[in-house]
Amino acid sequence: MLAMKGLEWTFDTVAKKYAKYRPGYTDDLYKMIFDYVPLDSKAKVVEVGIGGGQATLPILQTGCALTAIEPGENFSDLCKEKYMDYPNFSVKTGKFENIDFEEEQYDLVYSASAFHWIPEEAGYEKVYRMLRKGGAFARFANHPYKDKGNTALSEKIERLYDEYYYKYYDKNIKSDQECSYDQAKERAEIAGKYGFEDIRYALFHRTRAFIASEYIELLGTYSDHINIEESIRVEFFSKIEEAINEHGGVFNIYDTIDLQLARKM
């Protein structure tokens, strides 16, 4: 899905749906993070862009003090309720680049499928200042890919995107490719420009299955889809739902999650 600058606000309009249909992250991803930066009750952590809290629980369960940053008021309220039983959890509502933090105080700053919304220089420089020596920055994101096992369905949906999505945005058809190691490496190397060292990266994979109605609900959580004029969006989604039901009733998503780790030395 495209990440269009200026559409960040759209997610907060569908906060509950986002929390329900957007996926969490894999156990092996968290293992790699915790091997890189062990956390315990003495650790201080910041999550940038908590959204529906998909990446929060495994970090909270280490016992660390976790402060989440979230520009959306609906998301903030949702996560306050979701994690109300954790006294070590708090939320600050606002944009990461506009919130003041103490310098050299944090063991981990991390962001899940959110850091691309923040201007690169402002984001990386601020994270670097926040981290204590030896502290780490973890950036990761989920990249969904079409159903590779049902070619007829994927091709039908691609035609619908040509007819509705790309026509609406007046864009050329985008080449659809899975997230690669080269892309993960390129993202990882950004941190080196801002003084980070011990840079590492990895990819993780999984498959998710959706019936037609669920897949339509998921599409309704993507900023570029939410932004489509309602009558066009309703027709577009209806056609996708029909296509899935006509081709077996299930749409499989092949996820690639890329993780980048970097340390302040």
Side-chain angles (χ1 to χ4, degrees), residues 33-229:
I33 293 174
F34 297 147
D35 286 346
Y36 187 81
V37 54
L39 301 175
D40 56 25
S41 60
K42 297 179 182 179
K44 294 178 65 177
V45 177
V46 170
E47 178 177 1
V48 181
I50 190 174
Q54 283 83 356
T56 308
L57 185 58
I59 307 294
L60 269 180
Q61 289 175 331
T62 67
C64 70
L66 173 56
T67 301
I69 309 305
E70 173 52 49
E73 291 185 5
N74 291 327
F75 274 135
S76 294
D77 291 343
L78 184 154
C79 289
K80 287 175 185 177
E81 181 177 354
K82 187 174 184 176
Y83 297 116
M84 64 185 299
D85 293 333
Y86 288 86
N88 52 330
F89 175 74
S90 62
V91 180
K92 292 184 178 182
T93 304
K95 290 187 175 182
F96 173 66
E97 53 268 43
N98 296 336
I99 295 177
D100 293 329
F101 291 94
E102 295 179 297
E103 296 187 3
E104 299 186 346
Q105 293 296 312
Y106 297 93
D107 300 278
L108 172 68
V109 177
Y110 76 101
S111 185
S113 299
F115 208 70
H116 59 285
W117 294 110
I118 299 170
E120 179 189 304
E121 184 175 349
Y124 279 91
E125 288 185 351
K126 186 165 191 171
V127 170
Y128 191 87
R129 293 194 302 269
M130 290 167 59
L131 291 171
R132 63 176 85 243
K133 288 186 178 180
F137 176 47
R139 174 180 178 175
F140 48 102
N142 187 60
H143 305 277
Y145 188 71
K146 63 189 177 183
D147 193 334
K148 296 184 287 187
N150 193 335
T151 303
L153 174 56
S154 291
E155 290 177 351
K156 173 63 176 178
I157 290 179
E158 286 177 2
R159 291 194 293 271
L160 290 171
Y161 269 82
D162 298 345
E163 181 180 352
Y164 290 94
Y165 180 96
Y166 289 106
K167 183 178 179 180
Y168 180 81
Y169 282 113
D170 193 23
K171 290 179 175 291
N172 294 326
I173 299 171
K174 182 183 178 183
S175 177
D176 195 15
Q177 297 180 335
E178 290 185 272
C179 180
S180 68
Y181 272 105
D182 287 342
Q183 290 172 319
K185 179 181 179 182
E186 183 178 349
R187 289 190 191 97
E189 291 174 345
I190 294 172
K193 295 162 52 178
Y194 300 97
F196 288 92
E197 300 179 44
D198 190 17
I199 295 169
R200 306 180 194 182
Y201 60 94
L203 295 182
F204 307 91
H205 302 275
R206 67 176 168 211
T207 304
R208 293 177 287 148
F210 294 85
I211 61 173
S213 59
E214 292 174 336
Y215 186 64
I216 295 307
E217 292 293 311
L218 173 67
L219 289 181
T221 69
Y222 288 105
S223 59
D224 50 345
H225 290 60
I226 299 168
N227 192 57
I228 296 174
E229 194 275 318

